[in-house]
Amino acid sequence: MKRAILDVMKKYETIIIHRHVRPDPDAYGSQMGLAAILKGNFPDKKVYCVGEGEPSLDFLGEVDRIEDSVYDGALVVVCDTANTERIDDARYTLGAELVKIDHHPNEDVYGDYVWVDTEASSCSEMIAAFVEEFPKELAMNEAAARLLYAGIVGDTGRFLFPNTTPKTLRYAADLVAFPFDRTEIFTKMYETPLNAVKLSGYILQNFQMSENGAAHIYINRPLLEKFDVTPRDAAQLVNRIDSVIGIKAWILFIEDGDIIRARVRSKKPVINGLAKEYRGGGHPLAAGATLESEAEIPEMVAKLEALCD
């Protein structure tokens, strides 16, 4: 499939790259990293990255603003997005052909060309592998290496998560051979506003954990207002309790407008099936879901506890 994807990319003069809503470093890294590779190797092509911008990731790059007409006769590529409902910018259907590149379980099959590798740590790792596959046709460059490294770091939790494989570390080693500022990446990715630090203290003091190692906490609107943080800021704190002795899996519930977002994490129990029950999905040990009301919280917590037995 990688051969077919490279061939179709060579065919088009205009390539528009999408990723998922509420982007994380891997979404930006894979999207903009692929764009940097295409621009570096095919300078005559017009390559765009679209979607809503995320200010906390502006240090990696900024999205393009394009008219609908640009999609006429263009190739569209969607990176790091398992489900069509999570693709940022619904115009992804306006192109001539569609490519899906992703590392999540392929439960929502879309696209004319589909490359899914659930063993990859990140979509950014897949893009690095893509370049390595075709050494006579593609070359890595510093801009792309910086972006892909940031994406890998983000999705592996600084190489601490179980999805970090020997292959992941080898790709990372190849990327850091380029002279970009790694210190800046780590600083920008993990710096935390003072109010979010105070919220993390609240989480540490108030989360609940059952005897079988299932933990949870609910951050409602009054708490968000009290600590002056956004739902996205709160979501970044999902791993604050991961080092607690005895913890097996946990959920961070966050009120976000009319819905409640659930960030689900695990050390061993497979939790993406649980997330799927609540309008979500993801990886076996890292997933997300959407609850329609607070009434669903006790039910989801009970199901998490059953998984931890």
Side-chain angles (χ1 to χ4, degrees):
M1 183 52 67
K2 291 194 285 291
R3 176 76 261 174
I5 289 175
L6 178 57
D7 288 344
V8 77
M9 287 179 173
K10 286 183 173 182
K11 186 173 111 178
Y12 284 87
E13 293 182 2
T14 301
I15 301 175
I16 304 169
I17 309 175
H18 290 239
R19 38 74 181 161
H20 61 75
V21 295
R22 297 184 298 280
D24 56 12
D26 187 35
Y28 260 47
S30 57
Q31 177 193 38
M32 296 183 181
L34 176 59
I37 289 164
L38 293 173
K39 290 175 181 178
N41 288 276
F42 307 103
D44 292 333
K45 292 186 183 297
K46 297 176 182 177
V47 184
Y48 303 99
C49 295
V50 299
E52 286 298 316
E54 169 49 50
S56 68
L57 297 176
D58 281 349
F59 73 96
L60 291 177
E62 297 185 9
V63 295
D64 299 304
R65 304 298 178 189
I66 61 175
E67 300 295 327
D68 292 358
S69 59
V70 179
Y71 283 85
D72 294 341
L75 176 68
V76 175
V77 181
V78 179
C79 291
D80 196 35
T81 312
N83 309 314
T84 53
E85 64 184 17
R86 297 198 71 233
I87 299 174
D88 198 344
D89 197 326
R91 296 180 297 173
Y92 75 92
T93 60
L94 300 181
E97 292 188 274
L98 178 63
V99 176
K100 175 183 181 179
I101 302 175
D102 188 32
H103 68 123
H104 300 91
N106 195 28
E107 296 175 353
D108 183 358
V109 182
Y110 64 86
D112 302 295
Y113 302 84
V114 180
W115 174 29
V116 172
D117 182 0
T118 57
E119 295 184 358
S121 69
S122 54
C123 195
S124 294
E125 179 180 319
M126 293 176 67
I127 303 302
F130 183 65
V131 176
E132 183 184 76
E133 183 84 3
F134 306 105
K136 295 182 179 180
E137 299 169 82
L138 295 175
M140 186 65 68
N141 56 61
E142 183 178 341
R146 173 179 176 270
L147 287 157
L148 297 176
Y149 181 75
I152 292 172
V153 167
D155 259 26
T156 61
R158 290 176 281 190
F159 308 106
L160 294 174
F161 297 162
N163 61 346
T164 305
T165 67
K167 189 181 294 186
T168 305
L169 295 173
R170 181 170 63 79
Y171 286 127
D174 291 341
L175 295 173
V176 299
F178 289 86
F180 58 85
D181 191 341
R182 279 179 284 162
T183 300
E184 179 208 25
I185 289 175
F186 280 98
T187 299
K188 293 290 187 181
M189 283 179 62
Y190 293 100
E191 62 184 4
T192 307
L194 179 59
N195 49 351
V197 172
K198 292 181 178 180
L199 176 60
S200 71
Y202 175 89
I203 291 172
L204 290 169
Q205 290 183 317
N206 292 278
F207 77 92
Q208 299 178 47
M209 186 170 78
S210 63
E211 292 182 359
N212 63 358
H216 75 280
I217 188 167
Y218 176 37
I219 307 299
N220 57 22
R221 185 180 293 107
L223 281 171
L224 292 172
E225 293 173 352
K226 175 182 177 180
F227 289 97
D228 191 24
V229 297
T230 65
R232 180 183 174 85
D233 291 335
Q236 303 306 310
L237 304 175
V238 64
N239 288 316
R240 287 300 196 199
I241 60 175
D242 65 350
S243 59
V244 175
I245 294 175
I247 196 169
K248 294 179 182 177
W250 60 99
I251 305 175
L252 176 61
F253 296 102
I254 305 165
E255 187 173 6
D256 187 358
D258 296 330
I259 61 174
I260 296 172
R261 301 197 183 280
R263 301 292 298 275
V264 194
R265 296 293 183 268
S266 174
K267 290 191 173 182
K268 189 174 182 180
V270 175
I271 44 79
N272 54 352
L274 173 61
K276 190 175 180 181
E277 291 185 44
Y278 293 89
R279 299 161 287 277
H283 301 286
L285 303 182
T290 301
L291 279 61
E292 295 179 343
S293 70
E294 290 186 28
E296 291 185 300
I297 292 178
E299 178 184 277
M300 190 175 185
V301 170
K303 291 180 179 179
L304 182 71
E305 291 179 355
L307 289 175
C308 292
D309 279 339

